[in-house]
Each structure stands twice: as C-alpha cells, then as structure tokens.
Amino acid sequence: MCPSLKTISNSKNGILTYCNNSKLFQLVFNNLCFEFYEWELETFKKHITELDVVYWENQLICSQHQRKIPISIGHKCFIILVNREEVLEIKWLLKMDSKTTNILKSKDIEYPIFSN
C-alpha cells in the first residue's frame, strides 16, 4: 500500500481514500471509481445532498430496474443509477450522514468462513 494513501472511510461496497502525493480523493463504490480534487469532492457531496430520492423513486416507479435514482456525472450520455440504500452508503462514505454507524456484519465480509 502506498504510504501517502490514507483511508478516510470504508463500507461494505466502497472506500474513500486520499493520496497526499497527488492531492486526489478516490471514491471506489461497487465497480465505479471516482477521482476528485477537493473542490470536485465538495461539488459531488453537494450534488448527492440535493438528490431527491423519493421523487426519483416515484417518478420511475414503473421502471423494470431496481435502481431508480440517477446520479449525473457531467456527461449527458452517462448516468449512474443507484437505489436508496446505495445513496445512503455513499453519503456515509462521504461523512454526510453522521447519525448512522456502519458496522459490518459477518455476512458482509466476503471471505469463506469454515466452522470447526
């Protein structure tokens, strides 16, 4: 592991790190990877805060997809779709939802467990 890389937060599906050399924050969530400078991270946090989860769930109620909440990333032809739980987890990773403590359960750890 790079000595200049600092883990800020992590959860079942993601991790937020900061590299002191490049001055970049890296948010890895499921199979997505975002790299932000500090001002970009703050803009992303603001965008996530302004997401109207209830509106999008109602707007796309007939959608066949489980994920109904769009996160635009600046390109009109590329939108990330997430569900309510994923939005909450992203907020937690970004330390925007300080009310909840995310404690991993044994089933959340992807490691084979053998009972003796």
Side-chain angles (χ1 to χ4, degrees):
M1 180 180 222
C2 176
S4 64
L5 195 65
K6 178 184 173 195
T7 299
I8 297 172
S9 60
N10 59 2
S11 67
K12 176 184 173 185
N13 296 312
I15 185 168
L16 178 66
T17 57
Y18 177 73
C19 179
N20 205 26
N21 288 342
S22 65
K23 306 297 185 207
L24 282 173
F25 290 89
Q26 186 178 60
L27 173 64
V28 178
F29 188 76
N30 288 333
N31 63 340
L32 302 171
C33 179
F34 303 93
E35 289 188 339
F36 302 111
Y37 288 106
E38 186 174 359
W39 69 270
E40 293 170 318
L41 181 65
E42 293 303 318
T43 302
F44 184 71
K45 283 181 179 182
K46 183 176 185 282
H47 181 66
I48 295 296
T49 303
E50 293 172 353
L51 278 178
D52 191 346
V53 174
V54 175
Y55 169 80
W56 286 111
E57 286 177 335
N58 290 333
Q59 188 73 16
L60 300 173
I61 199 162
C62 295
S63 172
Q64 62 185 354
H65 304 291
Q66 173 197 3
R67 294 176 170 95
K68 299 183 184 340
I69 304 159
I71 298 176
S72 174
I73 60 161
H75 294 277
K76 64 180 179 178
C77 63
F78 189 76
I79 296 173
I80 298 166
L81 292 175
V82 294
N83 61 29
R84 178 185 294 261
E85 291 78 25
E86 290 170 330
V87 170
L88 293 175
E89 190 172 347
I90 291 170
K91 285 182 178 183
W92 189 88
L93 281 169
L94 298 173
K95 302 293 187 190
M96 297 167 56
D97 188 6
S98 59
K99 296 179 285 185
T100 60
T101 303
N102 196 5
I103 298 175
L104 294 177
K105 297 175 179 56
S106 59
K107 67 177 181 160
D108 294 335
I109 300 171
E110 293 182 16
Y111 186 80
I113 298 175
F114 301 103
S115 311
N116 289 339

